[in-house]
Amino acid sequence: MTNQKLTKSRVNVGVDVGKWSLDICIHEKGLVWQVGNTPEGIRSIMNRLSRYHVERIVMEATGRYEFALAEAAYAKGLPVCVAKPTSVRKYAGAIEQLAKTDRIDAQVIAEYAAVIRPRVTPEKSKNLIAIKDLLAGRRQILSLRTQEINRRHIMDGGIKRPCRRLIKYFDVEIAWVEKRLEKLVEAESEWSEKRDILESAPGVGKTLAFTLLADMPELGSLTNKQASALVGVAPINRDSGKMRGKRRIQGGRASVRTTLYMATLSATQCNPAIKAFYKNLVAKGKHKKVALTACIRKFITILNAMIREKQAWCAT
């Protein structure tokens, strides 16, 4: 019985993810080892962790290199936390851990897991991952398209022709991505009601609806302040003593904020509630960018309330 309790002791695991290797640390046991970032290496990690009761396994977001490990951990029922690299580095700075190697990083991540106890990251289906990838790809293609449009306006003579060809090519790619997105979103059956509610609001197109559904699944379960903070449009206090600093926005999910910014620009023209709110702020002397930020905050709180109440857009 004693041996069984020892083998099933509670542990926090930190993993430093690399392209070719994985460095693992079990904080409570002081164990550190390295395996290849391969199916065989990941299987050996899962087999070794099966001896313990894992409270959480924390890894940094690296783009895609952590996907295979996270998928294997989810399959074993382990609580996975995909942490922001900046959060881990700030913790390392707080404990004055200045040196940085793969082994040390794994130890820092494991200690971060035990001390900070970050929230568990919900598992994402392959379909949802594909949707998020397509949305990211669409943003990149749009950025390239905008660059070519700007270049075409300043170029002379024959140089405009390749610019036009590239713009036409990007248009074809964007159309393909949007068609593919439509099919993948339709496969997410639980999204159908939310999508209809979101798209009923003037100013909300398919791109914003897809982005909110994929990158902000909490929408509808948040308070107004939480929703605006999650997007990154909540004013942050900067006060100290008698000094009252200027409120600024920061943080949040950049992909949602960027898409919502463009949608709100449209909403100031076509959405009666946002249009009146924007004009009122500008009439009071607010800078247009400040007024637009306030409109983004109002827009996301309206959409959050619509999803929470399961109610389509109502002009009143």
Side-chain angles (χ1 to χ4, degrees), residues 12 14 29-31 34 51 71 92 94 99 102 131 136 138 157 179 182 203 212 217 221 228 248-249 268 271 305:
N12 289 274
K29 301 296 180 180
L31 298 175
Q34 185 184 79
R51 306 171 192 171
E71 186 176 355
D102 294 341
I131 291 172
R138 183 182 183 278
K179 187 177 180 180
E182 189 80 29
L212 290 175
S221 62
S228 58
R248 297 181 185 276
I249 62 171
T268 57
N271 187 306

Side-chain angles (χ1 to χ4, degrees), residues 109-130:
I109 295 170
E111 184 178 338
Y112 172 85
V115 176
I116 304 301
R117 303 172 66 86
R119 288 183 299 176
V120 173
T121 304
E123 183 179 5
K124 296 181 178 68
S125 66
K126 290 184 178 180
N127 191 61
L128 179 56
I129 293 172

Side-chain angles (χ1 to χ4, degrees), residues 13 57 106 118 134 138 163 177 199 205 252 288 291 296:
V13 181
I57 175 170
L134 283 172
R138 183 182 183 278
C163 291
V177 169
E199 291 185 355
K288 288 186 176 181
I296 297 173

Side-chain angles (χ1 to χ4, degrees), residues 4 6-9 46-53:
Q4 187 177 4
L6 288 173
T7 55
K8 287 295 183 180
S9 55
M46 295 299 108
N47 290 335
R48 192 162 181 177
L49 293 183
S50 64
R51 306 171 192 171
Y52 306 98
H53 179 85

Side-chain angles (χ1 to χ4, degrees), residues 162-181:
C163 291
R164 285 195 293 267
R165 284 199 300 268
L166 282 172
I167 293 168
K168 187 176 180 180
Y169 170 76
F170 291 141
D171 288 338
V172 172
E173 288 298 303
I174 291 169
W176 180 88
V177 169
E178 290 178 344
K179 187 177 180 180
R180 180 65 179 157
L181 268 171

